[in-house]
Amino acid sequence: MIWAQRRKMTYMLGLMLFLVLVGLSITHKATNTVATCFDQKKNGDEVGIDCGGGCLQYCPNELSEPKVRWVRSFEIAPGIVHSIAYIEHSYPTASSASFKYQFRLYDEKNSLITERTGTTYLGPMGKTAIVDTLIPVGNSSVATTRFSFEGSIPWQKVALSFSQSVIKTDRNMLENFENGTRLTSTLENQSRYSFKDMEVVAILYDYNDNAINISKVLLPQLKALSNETVYFTWQNKIDPKNVSRIEIIPRINPFSSTAI
């Protein structure tokens, strides 16, 4: 009798231990979900909620805004200007697929003439230029142009190879024609990435290295390991003798690229 009771007690203790272990396993699964970058929680190696660490998105406080080196507006026709913000950042693995910006144009009395809000992208580290074209200013003369980012830039992680992509710009030719001035430039894509809808900016400098005019074109496609010729035009005549150097800026967009 005593032996039978002991055996029964052993079975009961074993069953109770099994049930406890099953209960602990269920509780652990219910309270310790797998960390993801889309669960609206700060978990895993995330720096913030669904950002930083192994997530594609950088957290807002991880990276600073790009540095704005200079901002100008240039009259390209009576009552019409182009505005440019020359910027740069030093993050080789950070880009932004879309962010908002704003230009504000003021006259000599510091009165607001007009403002232009736009949306654009930002590639990896290096110098670039945001250009907004054909801004009407009426009879006013623009004395000061200011530029700002609208809200925080949504930085995303991209491959380091994008910051190492080489697009050479040479064989520039500036010439006058009957109705204005044309700049011809050849882009040589030495990278293994093909880019779609690439903005290309041209800046003309005088002998004091001051920007004297700008232009922008949209290149539908720049294939990997290929050359493309782009043309910039101005309605006014620009004397090539007054231009000391020409800067061509292809704006790389990792989010519209394909690799070969």
Side-chain angles (χ1 to χ4, degrees), residues 32-74:
N32 294 274
T33 58
V34 177
T36 71
C37 296
F38 309 99
D39 57 7
Q40 300 298 309
K41 297 178 181 178
K42 182 179 180 298
N43 44 29
D45 65 348
E46 295 173 359
V47 176
I49 297 176
D50 294 342
C51 63
C55 294
L56 178 64
Q57 198 83 14
Y58 282 101
C59 292
N61 60 346
E62 283 189 279
L63 305 180
S64 303
E65 287 185 347
K67 296 179 180 179
V68 182
R69 295 305 185 186
W70 53 268
V71 183
R72 291 276 305 278
S73 290
F74 299 88

Side-chain angles (χ1 to χ4, degrees), residues 169-233:
T169 58
D170 53 15
R171 297 188 291 278
N172 299 319
M173 183 172 63
L174 185 68
E175 57 185 345
N176 294 134
F177 59 95
E178 183 179 357
N179 298 317
T181 304
R182 180 174 65 186
L183 169 64
T184 304
S185 182
T186 301
L187 305 183
E188 181 184 351
N189 185 1
Q190 298 182 347
S191 78
R192 303 186 68 83
Y193 289 104
S194 294
F195 300 96
K196 291 184 178 180
D197 298 327
M198 172 185 282
E199 290 186 0
V200 186
V201 176
I203 308 174
L204 309 182
Y205 294 89
D206 64 14
Y207 285 89
N208 293 317
D209 213 33
N210 295 315
I212 57 176
N213 223 317
I214 60 171
S215 185
K216 179 180 74 172
V217 297
L218 182 66
L219 185 60
Q221 186 176 45
L222 181 60
K223 294 183 179 180
L225 306 175
S226 71
N227 297 338
E228 289 288 342
T229 300
V230 293
Y231 302 93
F232 306 88
T233 59

Side-chain angles (χ1 to χ4, degrees), residues 1-258:
M1 180 68 69
I2 294 176
W3 178 84
Q5 288 179 345
R6 287 180 178 177
R7 186 174 61 177
K8 183 176 180 181
M9 182 69 68
T10 301
Y11 288 155
M12 291 181 65
L13 289 174
L15 179 60
M16 290 177 63
L17 179 61
F18 173 77
L19 292 175
V20 168
L21 292 175
V22 170
L24 289 174
S25 177
I26 294 174
T27 302
H28 177 77
K29 291 181 179 180
T31 58
N32 294 274
T33 58
V34 177
T36 71
C37 296
F38 309 99
D39 57 7
Q40 300 298 309
K41 297 178 181 178
K42 182 179 180 298
N43 44 29
D45 65 348
E46 295 173 359
V47 176
I49 297 176
D50 294 342
C51 63
C55 294
L56 178 64
Q57 198 83 14
Y58 282 101
C59 292
N61 60 346
E62 283 189 279
L63 305 180
S64 303
E65 287 185 347
K67 296 179 180 179
V68 182
R69 295 305 185 186
W70 53 268
V71 183
R72 291 276 305 278
S73 290
F74 299 88
E75 183 180 69
I76 52 95
I80 303 293
V81 303
H82 292 342
S83 293
I84 178 173
Y86 194 95
I87 67 177
E88 65 178 317
H89 73 86
S90 57
Y91 308 122
T93 60
S95 296
S96 180
S98 179
F99 66 92
K100 291 184 177 181
Y101 64 87
Q102 186 176 66
F103 283 101
R104 293 183 178 89
L105 281 57
Y106 299 83
D107 63 16
E108 65 280 358
K109 297 180 179 179
N110 205 34
S111 297
L112 180 66
I113 301 172
T114 188
E115 57 187 33
R116 175 71 66 86
T117 300
T119 302
T120 189
Y121 60 90
L122 191 61
M125 66 180 296
K127 299 175 182 178
T128 189
I130 298 174
V131 173
D132 218 317
T133 61
L134 303 175
I135 303 176
V137 295
N139 296 322
S140 300
S141 296
V142 180
T144 304
T145 303
R146 297 186 180 122
F147 174 86
S148 62
F149 299 102
E150 298 295 289
S152 60
I153 294 179
W155 294 105
Q156 296 181 50
K157 296 177 182 177
V158 296
L160 178 63
S161 53
F162 282 111
S163 66
Q164 300 168 341
S165 298
V166 176
I167 301 178
K168 291 183 64 178
T169 58
D170 53 15
R171 297 188 291 278
N172 299 319
M173 183 172 63
L174 185 68
E175 57 185 345
N176 294 134
F177 59 95
E178 183 179 357
N179 298 317
T181 304
R182 180 174 65 186
L183 169 64
T184 304
S185 182
T186 301
L187 305 183
E188 181 184 351
N189 185 1
Q190 298 182 347
S191 78
R192 303 186 68 83
Y193 289 104
S194 294
F195 300 96
K196 291 184 178 180
D197 298 327
M198 172 185 282
E199 290 186 0
V200 186
V201 176
I203 308 174
L204 309 182
Y205 294 89
D206 64 14
Y207 285 89
N208 293 317
D209 213 33
N210 295 315
I212 57 176
N213 223 317
I214 60 171
S215 185
K216 179 180 74 172
V217 297
L218 182 66
L219 185 60
Q221 186 176 45
L222 181 60
K223 294 183 179 180
L225 306 175
S226 71
N227 297 338
E228 289 288 342
T229 300
V230 293
Y231 302 93
F232 306 88
T233 59
W234 290 267
Q235 294 182 22
N236 58 312
K237 290 191 176 183
I238 302 170
D239 190 348
K241 295 180 181 179
N242 295 329
V243 178
S244 67
R245 70 181 180 98
I246 299 170
E247 184 176 14
I248 306 295
I249 303 176
R251 298 192 60 220
I252 291 177
N253 186 354
F255 307 99
S256 66
S257 66
T258 54

